[in-house]
Amino acid sequence: MSNLRAVVEQCVERQRRFSQRGQRINEQNTKAGLIAPVIGALGWDLYDPDEVHHEYKRSTHDNPVDYALLLLRTPRLFIEAKALGENLDDPRWARQTIGYAMMAGVEWVALTNGAEWRVYNAHAPVPIEDKLFRAVRLEDDVASAVELLRLLSKENMGDNRIEELWKSFFVDRQVHAKLTDLFAGSEPAPELVDLLDRRMPKLSREEIRQSLVRARATFDFPTSVAVAAPAQGQPPPPQAYESPPQWMPAEPGPPMPAHQAPATNSSKRGTRVTPGERRLKLVDLLAAGRLRVGTTLVGRYLGEQHTAELLADGRVRYRGEVCNSPSRAGEAVKIAVYGQDITDARKATDGFDFWQAQDALVGDVVKLKEIRRRVASGR
């Protein structure tokens, strides 16, 4: 990777040259001139299909992903390419590729038009917009671009360096959100006032409250060198969003196959998992007649299909182990794949999103999350 910075600088120079000429570059030329050189500089062999699979398809019916980067013949990273100048803010691109990666068991996704790279954790148990790990525009900050792209190198993907950084980022984002909530609005959080009241006995509770009303709090979580802060003009990191951008669904439904175009008027767009849905357990879906005892649950992880059995009490049997919830059964799958030393971040699983089953009333095979939604809404 010693020439990665030189390759990035060369790509920036090419972009500027194309821009000065007013030259439109199609997707194929974008891949050849701006994306493939970066992949090669990251240590991946562009000419070995066991390492860089071009136009990768999980099945013959799917539309291909531009690049699948493989270790031990197992896809570890999908790269979806768009033509230079294509707007990556279009929600179709991220949603489609992330959905396909989830079905294929691939954790990491990069979306790029050659000028900008966006990296997502497809399996993170969060809404789609929060799966974004980092985005960089090459011409805005070459150093930050190099540091982010280096995480996608063959060596670092093998060492899973990006997973370590994601875990810290994921925790920091949640802490940042909670800290911001304490200071949000015109009235400070009562628990914050209580804390300071106990620690500052010489001040009255009202004096503390008024001081907090005047306060303007900001929280700085230093990032690793490998994920430097975004340059000015670049999309903010996910923790900067107080609410999901309007173009993204806050709670994704079942992943969309890559060959299926998203419906712009989908009724699931922008919906969250409601408290009523969260209260429903597998035993409730059994009682509602939407699942049957003995139903086979199917989950895909890292390109492999795993099956489990639904028991009469709402528990799930996987490889002879009886799990108290679908989430525990999903974790059992990951432990079986990675061993007992699996990190907590990788093991965490939303079981209703992980497993699919046949809706006994409708007859289609969908995620447990979708069956739960149908029951909660009376459909």
Side-chain angles (χ1 to χ4, degrees):
M1 287 189 296
S2 59
N3 67 334
L4 177 59
R5 185 182 181 96
V7 168
V8 170
E9 290 174 341
Q10 184 182 57
C11 289
V12 170
E13 193 280 326
R14 285 176 181 165
Q15 294 168 36
R16 289 173 179 164
R17 189 170 71 245
F18 298 149
S19 178
Q20 289 169 357
R21 294 175 182 171
Q23 187 175 355
R24 284 188 62 84
I25 306 299
N26 63 22
E27 184 177 312
Q28 293 304 315
N29 284 324
T30 298
K31 288 194 288 187
L34 300 176
I35 298 174
V38 171
I39 296 173
L42 291 172
W44 300 93
D45 187 346
L46 287 160
Y47 305 103
D48 184 351
D50 286 339
E51 196 164 299
V52 179
H53 192 126
H54 300 256
E55 301 295 307
Y56 176 85
K57 291 184 178 183
R58 185 172 62 92
S59 70
T60 56
H61 301 293
D62 292 335
N63 277 342
V65 174
D66 292 292
Y67 302 95
L69 307 188
L70 301 89
L71 293 173
L72 300 178
R73 297 186 178 181
T74 300
R76 293 294 304 277
L77 170 69
F78 282 166
I79 299 178
E80 180 65 15
K82 299 300 171 188
L84 180 65
E86 192 78 56
N87 183 8
L88 299 187
D89 288 336
D90 188 322
R92 291 177 298 168
W93 312 141
R95 186 168 55 221
Q96 201 166 297
T97 309
I98 288 172
Y100 187 37
M102 291 173 66
M103 293 297 289
V106 176
E107 186 168 7
W108 294 100
V109 168
L111 178 64
T112 180
N113 59 7
E116 179 181 358
W117 287 72
R118 299 186 182 188
V119 179
Y120 300 83
N121 184 328
H123 288 191
V126 293
I128 287 180
E129 69 275 5
D130 288 341
K131 294 177 185 287
L132 177 64
F133 175 45
R134 188 62 68 185
V136 291
R137 290 186 58 83
L138 272 57
E139 65 178 354
D140 288 345
D141 191 336
V142 169
S144 292
V146 169
E147 293 298 342
L148 175 61
L149 291 170
R150 186 171 287 131
L151 292 176
L152 308 182
S153 71
K154 180 180 177 181
E155 178 182 359
N156 282 330
M157 290 299 291
D159 292 340
N160 216 16
R161 174 63 174 154
I162 192 170
E163 174 68 28
E164 299 171 14
L165 293 171
W166 166 265
K167 183 176 180 180
S168 298
F169 169 80
F170 187 61
V171 170
D172 288 352
R173 182 174 63 192
Q174 295 177 77
V175 173
H176 180 278
K178 292 302 180 184
L179 287 173
T180 301
D181 285 345
L182 289 174
F183 290 88
S186 58
E187 191 64 29
E191 57 265 42
L192 181 58
V193 178
D194 291 341
L195 173 63
L196 293 178
D197 188 32
R198 291 194 299 270
R199 292 176 176 247
M200 307 174 75
K202 294 183 179 181
L203 296 179
S204 71
R205 181 181 177 85
E206 180 59 20
E207 287 173 327
I208 293 171
R209 190 191 71 80
Q210 289 292 341
S211 177
L212 289 174
V213 168
R214 295 189 295 271
R216 295 292 180 268
T218 59
F219 305 99
D220 180 23
F221 287 77
T223 55
S224 163
V225 173
V227 282
Q232 185 176 3
Q234 177 185 316
Q239 70 266 32
Y241 293 122
E242 293 183 2
S243 60
Q246 293 304 304
W247 51 265
M248 279 291 197
E251 182 66 30
M256 183 179 302
H259 65 275
Q260 181 178 333
T264 57
N265 62 346
S266 170
S267 61
K268 298 185 181 76
R269 194 183 190 88
T271 58
R272 291 182 179 275
V273 175
T274 66
E277 289 173 42
R278 292 191 185 282
R279 285 193 291 269
L280 292 174
K281 308 301 181 186
L282 288 184
V283 68
D284 299 310
L285 305 190
L286 284 164
R290 305 304 283 261
L291 293 176
R292 293 194 177 98
V293 175
T295 288
T296 297
L297 306 182
V298 179
R300 292 193 64 84
Y301 189 65
L302 294 181
E304 297 292 330
Q305 180 170 291
H306 301 266
T307 59
E309 179 188 1
L310 178 60
L311 304 180
D313 58 2
R315 294 188 294 172
V316 177
R317 181 185 288 119
Y318 172 71
R319 288 191 173 182
E321 176 186 355
V322 176
C323 306
N324 289 331
S325 69
S327 294
R328 292 297 183 191
E331 291 180 4
V333 169
K334 295 181 180 181
I335 292 171
V337 172
Y338 284 101
Q340 294 295 332
D341 293 333
I342 184 174
T343 64
D344 289 341
R346 184 181 293 279
K347 184 172 67 174
T349 304
D350 177 351
F352 277 83
D353 190 64
F354 184 88
W355 297 103
Q356 295 187 11
Q358 184 178 40
D359 184 326
L361 181 61
V362 180
D364 57 348
V365 176
V366 293
K367 290 198 172 187
L368 294 177
K369 178 182 291 186
E370 174 59 18
I371 298 176
R372 180 178 64 181
R373 179 176 289 129
R374 294 171 181 178
V375 172
S377 62
R379 291 191 290 115

